[in-house]
């Protein structure tokens, strides 16, 4: 299943190739203060691939907090956070915000809260290696 998503203004867009075809899509509502304030509900498909395109790189801010092991890609024009990336041992991993999906049947989404505050950094990075999208291409268009 090819899932298209974008920030509100279309500056940050992505295509997630979800393989195999999902019968449901886990949608984890992170309970940290940043995700709560930005309505971050994250999903990933470890067997899929993700292509992120940024049309105006100067209008993207990368925000990291806490353990400083992940970058939240914030569109500075519309304020939406469609993707989070984490570089682990030279490889780029990602999750995407289900609230930025376009044209996906809402009944596929299985929403649940997710609290990760007590994870150590090592446990957090190991979880990302296992569960996040590992085939990630992030392309910024030249201004």
């Amino acid at each position: 299943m090819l899932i298209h998503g974008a920030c509100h203004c279309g500056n940050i867009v992505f295509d997630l190739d979800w393989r195999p075809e999902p019968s449901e899509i886990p949608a984890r509502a992170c309970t940290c203060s940043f995700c709560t304030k930005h309505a971050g509900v994250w999903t990933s498909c470890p067997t899929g691939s993700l292509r992120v395109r940024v049309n105006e790189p100067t209008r993207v801010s990368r925000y990291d907090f806490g353990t400083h092991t992940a970058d939240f890609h914030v569109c500075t024009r519309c304020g939406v956070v469609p993707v989070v990336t984490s570089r682990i041992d030279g490889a780029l991993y990602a999750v995407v915000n289900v609230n930025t999906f376009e044209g996906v049947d809402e009944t596929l989404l299985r929403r649940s809260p997710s609290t990760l505050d007590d994870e150590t950094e090592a446990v957090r990075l190991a979880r990302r290696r296992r569960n996040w999208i590992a085939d990630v291409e992030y392309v910024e268009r030249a201004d």
Side-chain angles (χ1 to χ4, degrees):
M1 170 183 218
L2 189 62
I3 299 171
H4 182 72
C7 65
H8 191 259
C9 70
N11 183 39
I12 305 171
V13 297
F14 65 83
D15 290 306
L16 171 57
D17 187 2
W18 195 292
R19 289 177 264 135
E21 188 85 11
S23 57
E24 67 179 30
I25 296 173
R28 297 172 299 277
C30 181
T31 59
C32 80
S33 59
F34 184 83
C35 290
T36 299
K37 289 179 185 252
H38 285 273
V41 181
W42 309 102
T43 196
S44 61
C45 177
T47 57
S49 61
L50 178 67
R51 303 295 167 253
V52 180
R53 292 175 311 284
V54 177
N55 294 311
E56 293 181 67
T58 59
R59 292 193 177 266
V60 175
S61 174
R62 292 181 184 202
Y63 180 68
D64 67 345
F65 68 102
T67 61
H68 304 285
T69 58
D71 288 323
F72 290 76
H73 299 260
V74 184
C75 180
T76 62
R77 179 183 292 139
C78 66
V80 173
V81 184
V83 65
V84 178
T85 59
S86 181
R87 190 159 297 280
I88 305 168
D89 297 328
L92 190 62
Y93 295 82
V95 292
V96 294
N97 188 343
V98 301
N99 292 326
T100 64
F101 285 2
E102 297 177 355
V104 172
D105 182 352
E106 188 74 22
T107 63
L108 278 176
L109 301 178
R110 295 293 172 253
R111 294 177 184 264
S112 64
S114 177
T115 302
L116 307 169
D117 294 336
D118 294 333
E119 285 184 322
T120 65
E121 185 174 321
V123 168
R124 184 169 302 217
L125 296 177
R127 175 183 48 79
R128 289 178 186 162
R129 276 190 211 97
R130 273 190 324 274
N131 299 329
W132 284 27
I133 305 159
D135 182 359
V136 178
E137 179 183 339
Y138 188 95
V139 177
E140 293 181 337
R141 196 178 93 192
D143 283 339

